Amino acid sequence: MKNIDKTIYRNSLFLVFYLLTVPSHATTLSPLIFHANSLPSVAVQQSEVHGTITDTQGLPLAGVAISVKGTQKGTVSDFNGFYTIKVDANETLVFSFIGFKTHEIAVQGRNELNLVLETDITALSTVEINAGYYTVNDRERTGNISRITAKEIETQPVANPLSALQGRMPGVYIQQRSGVPGGGFIVRIRGQNSITKGNDPLYIVDGVPFISSTLASLGTEIVSNANPLSSINPSDIESVEVLKDADATAIYGSRGANGVVLITTKRGKVGKTEVSFDFQSGVGSVANRMDLLNTSQYLEMRQEAFINDGVTPTATNAPDLLVWNQQRYTDWQDTLIGGTSYISDAQVKVSGGSEHTQFLAGASAYKETTVIPGDFDYKRFSFNSAMNHRSENDRFTAAVNIMYAMEDSGLPNVDLTYSALTLPPNTPELLDDNGDLVFFRDITNPLIYTKRQYEAQNTNFIANAQFAYQIFDGLKLGTSIGYNNMHRDEIAIRPSSSRNPASTSPQSSDFADTKVSSWIMEPQLEYQKTWGDLSLKTLVGATIQQNNQSSKTLSGSGYSNDALMEDLAAAASVTVLRSSQSEYKYQAVYGRLNLGFKERYYVNLTGRRDGSSRFGPENRFANFGAVGLAWIVSEEPIFEAKRVFSYGKVRASYGTTGNDQIGDYGYLDTYSPTSYAYQGVSGLYPTRLYNSDFGWERNKKFETAMDLGFFRDRLMLSLVYYNNRSDNQLIGLPLPLSTGFSNIQSNLNATVENSGWEFNLETININTEHFTWKSSLNLSIPKTKLVRYPDLETSVHANRYRVGQSLFVVPAFHSTGVNPDTGIYGFEDVDMDGAISIPNDYQFLQDIRPEFYGGFLNSIRYKRLTLDCLLQFNKELGLNYLNMFFYAPGNISNQSAEVLDRWQEPGDVAAFQKFTQGFNQARTAYTNTNFADNFYQDIFYIRIKNVNLSYSIPTERLPFTSARLYIQGQNLFTITDYKGLDPEGGVRSLPPLRVISLGLQCSF
Amino acid sequence: MIIKLDTSLVLPKFRLFQSHLTLIGLMLFYLIQGCDQSIEVDPPKTELVSTTVFEDDRTAKAVMDGVYSRMVGGLGYASGFANSITVKNGLASDELVANGAPDPFYNNNVVPSNSELERYFWEEPYQYIYTVNSILEGLDFSTGVSASLREQLQGEALFIRAFCYFYLVNDFGDVPLHLGSDYEANAKASRSSVNEVYTQIISDLSAAETLLGIDFGVSSGERIRPSSWAAKALLARVYLYTEQWDLAEVKATQLIEHSTLFEVLPNANQVFLKNSSEAIWQLMPVRPNFNTMEGYRFIATRAPVSSETVSETLLNSFESGDLRYANWIGSVSNSSGIWYFPYKYKIRLSSSLAEYSMVLRLAEQYLIRAEARTRLNKLSGALEDLNTIRNRSGLSDSGAEGSEEILQAIYKERQVELFAEWGHRWYDLKRTGLVDQVLSSVKSQWRYTAKLYPIPIKEVDRNPNISQNEGY
């Protein structure tokens, strides 16, 4: 192995050396080169042109790029909108600025050129979109890339950047699983490609691949599906681009199958140093309450259950009927999840710079408390800095970005939502007069979880440096070097005050420490050239990446005092519960070739060859590639007039990408140490089965799309059809448990198809000087199908999937409702054997994929007031509220008020079976409903996801250059037929909170 | 645009371009050439690869140690804790009562999706079976393990395989019989009949009996690894269950007569101490601050009690004057009642180890031989064995006469001697055919199909060749 490391070091040293020497080449040789370029003709006189650039309201515009057409020369306007540039009298100046129309003005010997730039409301041709290894003009792009910018993010009071994307992009399904701060998200770009695992997109933050799954080893119950992106401050983000089709993702090769999310952080801007502050504070709460049984209804249910079962209630089996106060009533939703969460957020940013060097530095502090009783909160401190430099001769550029964030969360070990719904309404006080916990025999006091704290500290450091040097006109050599280090330190304590003296385990605390570090180096060579109507853009590059992950979990017990439980040294004995370490190496070469003809026909070829240490020695390398085509129809001469039809593009792409989202070392059969030694000797146990020849999962993506613009692009419509097929499925193949393992990493010769339609409509309804109104609507209709699965009938998935049906089809019994004679749920007995059994009586009826989803956004500006409102909608078949309740109605557990519609005597036609508290036929039938279609329902919801109203304060008399006062709301109002707490969150977890916040942003 | 060619200016530029190209070329060459090797990674430092495990005495033995460590430390199957065979099968029979949340084992209403059943009664023993099969295969190919250790490990592996199948076949009836680690074949196997499984158990145990040592030297005198004696003891039980009375008598006799190692202790309070001379095989507790999990689970410190307590049926089965009632049953009470709990293990929590978890002990061998002798019509010998156990507990000789009465006396003796140990009562009721009669009178929900647990859903679901038990 030594040689191999040497190879890497040799390569890296070589690159570093090369990069270090490049700038010196530049300084020593550049005068020559500069001369060579700037001496096109001796016949023309050189002069200096200067002027001021303003917007339509007469305010100076800083940072406008002024370039001399056809050359590399250029400058940028300063803070007063002023610029000077040396030009030849017959040259043409190009003025461009994001969000404004680009102007070209021939100098014609003039010395002063003042200019008013008009806002370009659609700005299609000026928007440069980040495609990862290159940028692409929105007008010319051949692939499918959605984007949101800082402007959209800042209107939302969110802690995780992922929630800022919700409802705003077609084809991007984001579900917030929990309203607990730091809680989880599910992100699916164009559906689920892999049958069982690895469906997360590839996240890249400023060029550095970012892990997609949480490092949490403890507390996974309270922060399930947590996403590490929470450590990135949303307001540090300049833009988020989501790459979806083959054309955009093939250059990411083996990691692009599930789409790519590119996050670019803010950079400094040219101009006078600007300091800006942003203060925000808000309140959050659970928006909805479930309608549960009150005390008299609950007691009636219990009594009826005992009568139905013919059992006499005793103090042991029915303390709620015989011991507890019969009048007492508590809605535990109010007590346990009904609190108010306070959110405060403060940010400061300094940015500025000269034409050649710009900087930005920012810091922020965010704190969010919870809605559960007790002193819990989540805090985040983040620092972000960026420096950009361009050499005097414009040939050398450097950009450095450093980000550091610390998250600190103190939460209970377990989500209290389930207890809030099921604790009997007449349960006595949970704390006694001394403030100690009261323990019950049959029910768990939910406040024990508030004593069992889970504390986690997460630090995240990302650094990235990009250097580029223009060797000659059109040829650029660059490299990007990135490093990411994430560290999570966790403590979960179970103090003696939280333990039931009668049964639970002794006081103990667990300590976990998980680290991931990764570095990446990507040298790249770019060449651009235009010959008449033909333009060429090409690049080749390489990636070397290495990740190291290690994790340790220790458990301490035997503390003399609860107060010492966060100190491992105070434990009488310490056990190592888990210890793991892994290494991942990855290398690739990639390239792109883009040809444009007459600015209307485009061909884009991209490809990648990559190798990953995650696969068996036989299957480490694979090639991926894509072709994208675009035809800008509106540029054809017959559409010259462009009255109504102002823009039209047809594009298509086809290609392959891969998926390597499996753990490391999947091909080895390994033994790990056991937690405890036997007679002083540490034991070993098998942890993995051997499979040397598993390889890449391949995903073939096809897309065709049409982008249309009407009325000078005031109405933009885009229509997309895609069809992705992934085969050679890389899965944890479930195994019968008798094999000793529950699954094995393996390639499965099955094909999954994801297809669908995506619509996006953007309109500018009104656009006057004082009043603008813009709308956008997006809609996604995804479909997924298992196309092929040889020998499915004899496979482990025989009872799970059907060829030709959706991947989300859930096998379930078909309920025939409550039998009016017996009062017990009946199910269709498919095999007619007289018993309801798995799998023989399963039917494939329930398809739980999202049917459609989307968002409708309106932005209105009237003078200084701006209003943005996002409606989000979603329809899918999902688990209904019955699933929240584990016990059959009649047991010592509260229920939805719906259960009152139950069977009571023969002949009754009711929605719910008779109440029962014991183990009997009714109980078995209730258990069967866990596997039956009565647990599913169509869930449709429309919600006011986000509203932002902001007022830009006149600053003439204030010491500010700009000031803005705003009020924002998240998850404000929901229309749904779902009867549980929230149609979006997980079934038994805290729903996403309704948040209203008020903020002030000012800069000077 | 007019371009004036100035060769003096263009030439250095061209040279520069050339040198850059060379560098770029070199760089790409290095990258591509380095590509193949530099994604090689070493195996993880926290794990071992199977090929290295069985090339070394220490690591090979560590795999077997891992089995014992997980059996006793895992909180399931063999742990003696809430989800163990001891507790769950005690609940399923008539000796223990569940006091906490409703327990499907106690109610004889275990469904195929029951997670305790799946995890602790099915998956866990099959994990041990996979491990010991891997050991047997690994040792076959290994050249690095010493001959004596190889024999010991082969013997222990075969013993553990037989041990796991014994409980599987008694809990589930026909079960898939995996004798190798090939998961592809195992994933498609159908259920082998009870007879086939017992044949394998007997063959494994007989092999283990000759491979294993005849003392406890390999574990420094501690009785915490199965020896040849453990194989004989389990064989005696298997012959009893399969009604091969003469063989059962032979095996039990070998143990009983080996008095240099084994004797029935006069004081019942000493039986469950570590390395007691009644112990044939004990599991050594591994969790810090704990002794046995049986002690931790059963010993109630205050009323009301939420863990498992002794049933009235069992309490009423003790004859008056039985020292086991005084020594092995504990109680706590409050104003609303009194709760009796199994008190064979005396230590609930302690950082010094005094008690080990008993798996096989000599008293059972006496009762096995008594029953076998009765069936073989050697009634006086049978009574002699029965009375050995009775006298130790302060009871006079049994007054039973005739084979039927003696048999009933032995069953009753087993009930009070072996309660709250490894589900003996549950298996006795089932193998003697008394289960329907006995349980239907004390459990209103009893159904005859509850004798066997359902095959867990993840097994039936994932292997189309596995059928479900009757009634599920």
Side-chain angles (χ1 to χ4, degrees), chain A residues 457-512:
Chain A
Q457 269 205 356
N458 204 42
T459 56
N460 179 17
F461 174 79
I462 304 179
N464 175 241
Q466 288 166 357
F467 306 103
Y469 178 66
Q470 182 148 17
I471 297 166
F472 58 77
D473 205 5
L475 182 69
K476 200 161 83 174
L477 175 71
T479 193
S480 160
I481 302 170
Y483 177 73
N484 175 216
N485 186 317
M486 203 180 255
H487 182 185
R488 192 174 178 96
D489 214 343
E490 300 164 281
I491 304 181
I493 59 167
R494 286 179 299 277
S496 51
S497 62
S498 79
R499 70 184 224 257
N500 187 340
S503 68
T504 52
S505 43
Q507 59 166 192
S508 66
S509 44
D510 293 345
F511 299 78

Side-chain angles (χ1 to χ4, degrees), chain A residues 181-202:
Chain A
F185 288 85
I186 288 176
V187 180
R188 295 286 173 264
I189 296 171
R190 293 191 165 170
Q192 180 172 333
N193 294 310
S194 188
I195 287 187
T196 52
K197 53 163 63 174
N199 284 295
D200 288 321
L202 171 67

